[in-house]
Amino acid sequence: MKNLWVIDDDLILHFILKKKFEKEKDWLKARFIVDPTEAVREFNNAEKDMDNLPVVVLLDINMPQMTGWEVIEHIRSLGLYESPRCPKIIMFTSSISYSDQTRANQNEVKLITKPLNEADIQNIKDYVLSSSC
Amino acid sequence: MSNILKDALRIQDMFLSQKPKQEVFDLLLHFFLQHTQSEYGFIGEILHKKDNTPYLKTHAITNIAWNKETRDFYDNNAPNGLEFYNLKTLFGKVITDHEILISENPYTDKRRGGLPNGHPTMNNFLGVPLMHEGNIIGMFGIANTPVKYDDEMIKMIDPLINACVNVILGQKILNTNKNYQDLILEKNAVLENHLQRMNQFTHVVSHDVRKHTSNMESLINLLDDQESTLEMGFLKKSCEELRMTIDFLSKVVDIENPDDILNDSEINLKRLIETSFMILDNHENQIELELDIDQDLKLVIPSGHFKSIVNNILSNAIKYRDPKKNSFVKVKAEKKSKNLILSFSDNGLGFNYDDDPDTLWAWKKSYHNHEDSKGLGMFITDNHIKQLELDIRVYSSIGLGTSFELFIPLNRLK
């Protein structure tokens, strides 16, 4: 089983992704998180319980509690980035502004712009499949 | 040099070295009184009420207050200037007639309107209009000389009178400039406010509105898998069009930083084009990008406008690709004489280009019968090109493709 976290405040997106991942139930375990601070708490505990961490995180940029960039900063500050066990991160955003793309390049993370099309979904699945811990 | 001339020069010096206005006029009045041995007096500017009747506003006035009421009035108002509206007085006569007035016996003078009770004795009076180009701009009045106010005395103090005219004129110009300055600052604040709201608008359009259309599109796609009806097809298409329109709008106004609009910043040309292309193509590989640009090539240019130009040309290449071909756009940068020529050549649909640049840029009718042709994009690009003082040439042929050549002066190179 591969673990995937979706961190996004948009419940409709959760619904859409659940549908899209339905067929992959036997190998993909997706967990949907509305509040990014909940995810941050789990990252804080990661030292004790590394196995709990997902292989890939789909991270929204604009969320009310904290932005996706702040989540990345936090993971970085925990020193998780150096660990081979650090989840791969795919950012996604509803906006099509340059600043997001520039920032994604600086942070060396993938950026997907919503709406997610079939190719994006396939890319995500492939990315999860190829990522191991 | 006579003392009067020296004093007149001193007044002008003070004004030019921007000493406080109050100090300049007080000293000027002091000189008027001193050289004519007068007891008291005033210097004032002539201003006009809304109905154009003139009135006097003093810039300096001797304190002749004779009771508490007049003392308070003087203390409260003298620093900002006293205003006199009653022109049925000796000084009023000067203002209305534009002529020098000498009165040997103010108390019996028919021209006077009477002094208030308690006003210090006035034995004689001289009122001089300060003229500039036929208009009265001010006046001064002095009283109680032990000698005699006459033409000779007026001639003697002429340098001071000239200095007085100059200072009042100078003061007027300073005030006008100040008014313009205030106006500019005020307009600037309004513009900044607009810009801020425009940025907010951009954010709302590019994120908040877009989020909902994205979701609608995804949901409809889910439904479409289950029940494919004609209505569903139209709904799907409307949704897609809506999202594309919003994308277009956000790209037009997308500016990372408002300073980018006007200020030069350093950009790596190759990276800029790769990034723009990535966003436009959105990983869909609708068209292939071939780059022939030195990876160290850097421009110093207002990046907001420049990005928008590149964006527009690239998005046209994607939009008007020929679905029957393996589409590509080749972007190449090469130096030729005084310019760096950045060329974008595609093998897309192409269009009929009759060498009249106005038809292209004004884009009155979209030249492709493409549903989402938006002339606005080219119009904005043209404006940006003009603002950055670049030049552009277009070559196109139906069925073969389109080529844009952007001429960037070499001084834009880092």
Side-chain angles (χ1 to χ4, degrees):
Chain A
M1 268 319 234
K2 301 262 187 179
N3 275 322
L4 167 76
W5 284 5
V6 179
I7 308 174
D8 194 320
D9 60 314
D10 181 3
L11 292 174
I12 297 180
L13 185 103
H14 290 190
F15 173 81
I16 293 165
L17 283 179
K18 273 175 199 161
K19 287 263 177 189
K20 295 282 181 192
F21 293 150
E22 236 163 33
K23 285 173 230 143
E24 332 295 332
K25 264 195 289 231
D26 35 313
W27 65 271
L28 179 73
K29 194 177 153 202
R31 177 177 163 196
F32 292 87
I33 300 169
V34 186
D35 178 355
T37 55
E38 183 188 330
V40 162
R41 268 197 305 277
E42 302 221 11
F43 280 120
N44 287 342
N45 295 330
E47 248 179 323
K48 282 174 260 164
D49 193 3
M50 284 292 236
D51 296 335
N52 201 23
L53 289 185
V55 284
V56 172
V57 174
L58 292 182
L59 182 58
D60 186 32
I61 292 180
N62 289 283
M63 290 175 287
Q65 298 88 349
M66 62 196 293
T67 70
W69 303 118
E70 285 167 337
V71 175
I72 289 195
E73 279 307 310
H74 189 82
I75 297 175
R76 194 164 278 166
S77 74
L78 290 175
L80 264 177
Y81 258 54
E82 286 77 55
S83 152
R85 189 60 191 81
C86 185
K88 306 270 189 318
I89 290 174
I90 300 176
M91 304 294 286
F92 56 7
T93 174
S94 296
S95 94
I96 44 167
S97 93
Y98 275 106
S99 43
D100 285 341
Q101 186 66 52
T102 316
R103 212 154 164 189
N105 291 351
Q106 281 163 0
N107 278 286
E108 293 172 355
V109 291
K110 271 179 183 289
L111 177 75
I112 297 180
T113 307
K114 297 176 197 172
L116 304 178
N117 56 30
E118 283 311 317
D120 291 327
I121 300 289
Q122 195 53 50
N123 281 340
I124 294 171
K125 286 180 198 165
D126 293 346
Y127 201 57
V128 178
L129 266 178
S130 65
S131 307
S132 58
C133 312
Chain B
M1 207 191 293
S2 82
N3 280 338
I4 292 181
L5 195 56
K6 238 187 266 174
D7 289 344
L9 287 175
R10 185 166 158 207
I11 292 296
Q12 309 215 68
D13 270 357
M14 275 176 84
F15 178 74
L16 290 175
S17 56
Q18 296 177 357
K19 287 280 185 305
K21 164 188 143 195
Q22 201 59 48
E23 254 176 57
V24 181
F25 281 108
D26 280 348
L27 189 65
L28 187 55
L29 179 60
H30 169 77
F31 287 150
F32 274 133
L33 297 176
Q34 191 189 31
H35 291 294
T36 60
Q37 301 175 52
S38 302
E39 210 176 304
Y40 55 85
F42 66 84
I43 302 170
E45 191 174 339
I46 309 300
L47 299 169
H48 291 86
K49 288 194 282 190
K50 274 191 188 129
D51 64 2
N52 217 26
T53 47
Y55 68 94
L56 179 78
K57 184 180 167 115
T58 61
H59 286 314
I61 186 164
T62 317
N63 187 355
I64 51 161
W66 55 89
N67 56 21
K68 185 176 184 310
E69 199 187 336
T70 47
R71 258 192 305 277
D72 286 350
F73 180 72
Y74 180 89
D75 290 345
N76 290 333
N77 296 291
N80 296 321
L82 304 175
E83 290 176 1
F84 295 96
Y85 296 94
N86 179 11
L87 298 182
K88 286 186 184 123
T89 57
L90 287 178
F91 70 81
K93 190 83 179 137
V94 176
I95 296 171
T96 48
D97 291 2
H98 299 189
E99 274 168 16
I100 291 173
L101 184 145
I102 297 171
S103 180
E104 289 300 340
N105 195 347
Y107 281 94
T108 55
D109 200 308
K110 289 187 187 97
R111 296 167 292 191
R112 67 181 281 260
L115 292 171
N117 280 339
H119 191 285
T121 330
M122 194 189 282
N123 302 323
N124 47 19
F125 174 82
L126 168 68
V128 178
L130 301 165
M131 304 297 291
H132 176 70
E133 292 176 351
N135 296 315
I136 181 168
I137 56 167
M139 74 163 290
F140 70 90
I142 45 183
N144 290 3
T145 181
V147 288
K148 198 170 180 261
Y149 292 126
D150 56 14
D151 289 350
E152 208 178 315
M153 183 190 270
I154 296 168
K155 214 171 162 190
M156 181 185 77
I157 57 169
D158 193 52
L160 282 176
I161 299 178
N162 276 330
C164 193
V165 169
N166 288 342
V167 171
I168 290 181
L169 275 180
Q171 193 65 43
K172 269 187 188 298
I173 293 169
L174 281 185
N175 280 340
T176 319
N177 282 351
K178 175 91 175 46
N179 287 345
Y180 280 130
Q181 210 177 1
D182 287 350
L183 194 69
I184 291 171
L185 286 177
E186 194 185 305
K187 297 274 177 211
N188 208 31
V190 173
L191 278 181
E192 260 168 31
N193 183 278
H194 277 297
L195 191 62
Q196 210 183 344
R197 283 193 302 183
M198 200 193 80
N199 284 339
Q200 252 167 18
F201 173 80
T202 313
H203 183 79
V204 170
V205 169
S206 77
H207 182 263
D208 300 1
V209 175
R210 199 179 179 283
K211 171 177 160 181
H212 301 300
T213 53
S214 294
N215 277 345
M216 277 160 69
E217 215 178 323
S218 299
L219 289 170
I220 289 168
N221 280 336
L222 283 178
L223 278 179
D224 196 33
D225 294 344
Q226 297 156 18
E227 45 176 318
S228 239
T229 59
L230 200 57
E231 289 89 336
M232 192 56 77
F234 285 137
L235 190 56
K236 188 175 169 181
K237 183 132 182 42
S238 303
C239 221
E240 202 182 299
E241 290 278 325
L242 176 62
R243 202 241 315 148
M244 275 160 60
T245 308
I246 289 169
D247 285 4
F248 172 77
L249 276 180
S250 350
K251 266 172 198 144
V252 168
V253 288
D254 183 24
I255 297 149
E256 245 173 85
N257 176 348
D259 290 343
D260 287 353
I261 307 175
L262 294 174
N263 297 347
D264 283 344
S265 54
E266 200 182 299
I267 51 175
N268 178 307
L269 189 58
K270 189 173 185 186
R271 213 174 302 150
L272 171 87
I273 289 172
E274 279 171 341
T275 310
S276 290
F277 185 80
M278 216 145 73
I279 296 173
L280 291 164
D281 188 49
N282 198 15
H283 307 286
E284 282 171 24
N285 302 320
Q286 308 169 81
I287 166 171
E288 200 178 331
L289 175 70
E290 289 174 34
L291 279 174
D292 184 4
I293 299 173
D294 184 353
Q295 63 176 4
D296 297 322
L297 189 63
K298 282 180 183 154
L299 297 180
V300 178
I301 204 161
S303 64
H305 280 359
F306 189 72
K307 272 182 198 167
S308 144
I309 296 169
V310 167
N311 241 348
N312 225 301
I313 298 176
L314 284 176
S315 77
N316 275 332
I318 296 175
K319 216 183 289 174
Y320 304 122
R321 65 186 182 275
D322 188 341
K324 288 180 223 110
K325 298 180 199 158
N326 284 329
S327 300
F328 63 77
V329 57
K330 289 180 183 163
V331 187
K332 186 176 172 183
E334 57 181 335
K335 287 176 202 168
K336 250 183 206 166
S337 71
K338 286 178 190 160
N339 290 296
L340 177 81
I341 300 179
L342 183 63
S343 61
F344 300 77
S345 312
D346 65 47
N347 63 344
L349 297 168
F351 58 92
N352 240 339
Y353 179 44
D354 55 11
D355 241 358
D356 173 8
D358 288 342
T359 24
L360 174 65
W361 298 120
W363 201 286
K364 296 235 164 60
K365 51 178 177 46
S366 298
Y367 48 64
H368 294 281
N369 240 344
H370 220 272
E371 285 145 56
D372 63 339
S373 298
K374 291 174 188 71
L376 184 65
M378 274 302 177
F379 176 74
I380 289 171
T381 299
D382 186 38
N383 266 320
H384 289 167
I385 287 171
K386 278 183 190 142
Q387 277 183 41
L388 299 188
E389 293 172 349
L390 308 177
D391 206 355
I392 193 161
R393 276 184 210 153
V394 189
Y395 309 91
S396 188
S397 164
I398 289 180
L400 289 177
T402 305
S403 171
F404 286 90
E405 280 183 358
L406 195 57
F407 289 71
I408 305 164
L410 286 183
N411 61 16
R412 290 284 188 191
L413 249 62
K414 208 205 165 212

